[in-house]
Amino acid sequence: MPTAVDHVQPAAPAGSEERLRAYYTGALGMTEIPKPPALAANGGCWFRAGAVQLHLGIEAGFRPARKAHPGLRVSGIEAYAERLAAHGAPVVWDDRLPGHRRFFSEDPVGNRLEFLEPRA
């Protein structure tokens, strides 16, 4: 029986690692973590913030995920949205999820990301 999500792996095109690093560390405030040597040759990059891990994997014929997405819980969602907007990332608010404030954005290769915070 699963007990937790270990990581989520969005895809990315070859050669996009520097843009991904700038976004995931700069805009999102995550920390890059080293890939195991046996996997590093595949390209891509991995990031962590607390228990949350995103592993960006290189995919031939890459197409960004427009519907599928990780949902990332944040605290201080207004300030976080401002942070992303200041880095040039789109911020699209959505009020359809009861009990939460949330917005959608995209990473620099077009993958959809959801950011949400439960209402007090």
Side-chain angles (χ1 to χ4, degrees):
M1 172 185 303
T3 60
V5 173
D6 184 78
H7 67 276
V8 174
Q9 182 173 11
S16 64
E17 288 89 350
E18 290 309 312
R19 290 185 293 150
L20 296 169
R21 286 183 177 102
Y23 177 79
Y24 284 92
T25 62
L28 268 55
M30 299 182 84
T31 301
E32 185 171 3
I33 55 176
K35 290 181 69 172
L39 299 176
N42 298 332
C45 34
W46 293 5
F47 303 95
R48 172 190 307 222
V52 175
Q53 287 192 39
L54 295 176
H55 297 178
L56 279 289
I58 302 304
E59 181 177 3
F62 168 78
R63 290 187 344 186
R66 296 290 187 202
K67 180 74 174 170
H69 61 274
L72 303 172
R73 186 167 288 184
V74 298
S75 58
I77 197 165
E78 290 283 343
Y80 204 72
E82 290 173 12
R83 175 187 177 123
L84 267 65
H87 281 86
V91 172
V92 179
W93 289 96
D94 182 291
D95 62 359
R96 296 176 295 162
L97 182 62
H100 292 81
R101 298 225 40 232
R102 74 174 177 172
F103 67 88
F104 291 93
S105 191
E106 293 180 358
D107 73 8
V109 298
N111 288 315
R112 184 179 197 209
L113 302 170
E114 177 183 357
F115 299 90
L116 64 157
E117 180 177 48
R119 292 187 186 272

